[in-house]
Every structure is written in C-alpha cells, then in structure tokens.
Amino acid sequence: DGTVVTWGSEILSQRENTPTSAGFVAISCAHIHSAALRKNGALVTWGRGSEKPRDNAPTGFFAVASGEYHGVALYGNGRVLTFGDPTMGQRDDSPTGTGFVAVACGASHTVALRRDGRVRTWGGTFSDERVDAPTSAGFVAIACGLWHSVGLRDDG
C-alpha cells in the first residue's frame, strides 16, 4: 500500500516525523534525513537538519535521492530541484533546463543523468568528487558513493 517504515537509530532524530499515511512510491535516506515521493509526485521529507525543500514544494516529481545533508528531486519533465545544506556546493551550479532521467547523491555531491546519456556532476568541494567526470554520452545508469561516483555505459 506504499506505507513508509523506518527502523534503526533515533539518536539524531533521523526518524522524527516519519509519515504514517500510505501512497508512497519511492524512498531515499541519508545521514539524518529521509525523503519520499507520493503517487501524485509530491515530495515529503523528514528527520533532522536543513535537508527540507522550500515550503510548499510543488508536486510532479518522479525521482528523489538523498546526500549527507542535501537532496535532489526530478520533476516529470526532467528538471532538477536541489534542497538542503549548500555549504559544500551541494546546490551550487545545479543544472538548469529539462531532460534529466536519473539522479544520485554522494555525501556532498550530486550526479544527474541526461536523456542523451551524458552525466552532469555538481557540489562536492571536499574530496575531488568531480575530478575526471566523464563528458561523453552513452551512460544508462548512475550511482554515488560517499566521495565518488560510478556510471554504467550502454556499450554492454
């Protein structure tokens, strides 16, 4: 039924205000916050810290990812919304425009995958998270570790 269930440590209020209703279709969590998307594309966040989107965040999202103190969500048209702590560049230089199909967050950096198979990386002023980011097309999946990223190419 799409009910969110949390477990584990509550020492830093990670589970504070967990939604109790049903109807969620995607979830994401990180250091001390979590995010989820409702069937209608509404973004809901909970936990502790500054990882919450602007008040009255619009609906229409289809993907969400969480970094250590930030998050990112994708609108249905592929436009990116970043939210949370900006101190390590998490929201600086985030892409504009549409056409993104996937997002992933590391500790303080984010990667987005374009429909054409190119990747866009921003944030991460701590440990060279953006060094050697690929510029070619042909990627079909992305993921982030704490301070690095990985992509899967379509060349099989």
Side-chain angles (χ1 to χ4, degrees), residues 84-95:
D85 184 358
T87 58
M88 301 278 288
Q90 297 95 317
R91 295 186 341 219
D92 297 344
D93 197 30
S94 61

Side-chain angles (χ1 to χ4, degrees), residues 38-129:
R38 293 187 180 280
K39 287 179 187 175
N40 69 354
L43 175 63
V44 177
T45 63
W46 66 95
R48 180 177 166 197
S50 61
E51 298 73 32
K52 301 190 185 316
R54 296 181 288 273
D55 290 341
N56 301 317
T59 61
F61 296 103
F62 76 92
V64 63
S66 297
E68 188 170 15
Y69 296 104
H70 74 290
V72 62
L74 279 180
Y75 288 97
N77 66 0
R79 189 167 58 97
V80 173
L81 171 72
T82 56
F83 54 92
D85 184 358
T87 58
M88 301 278 288
Q90 297 95 317
R91 295 186 341 219
D92 297 344
D93 197 30
S94 61
T96 58
T98 60
F100 292 92
V101 297
V103 288
C105 291
S108 62
H109 73 287
T110 303
V111 177
L113 177 64
R114 288 189 160 283
R115 188 173 288 115
D116 68 3
R118 294 184 188 278
V119 296
R120 175 76 157 72
T121 305
W122 68 96
T125 59
F126 178 70
S127 184
D128 296 330
E129 293 93 329

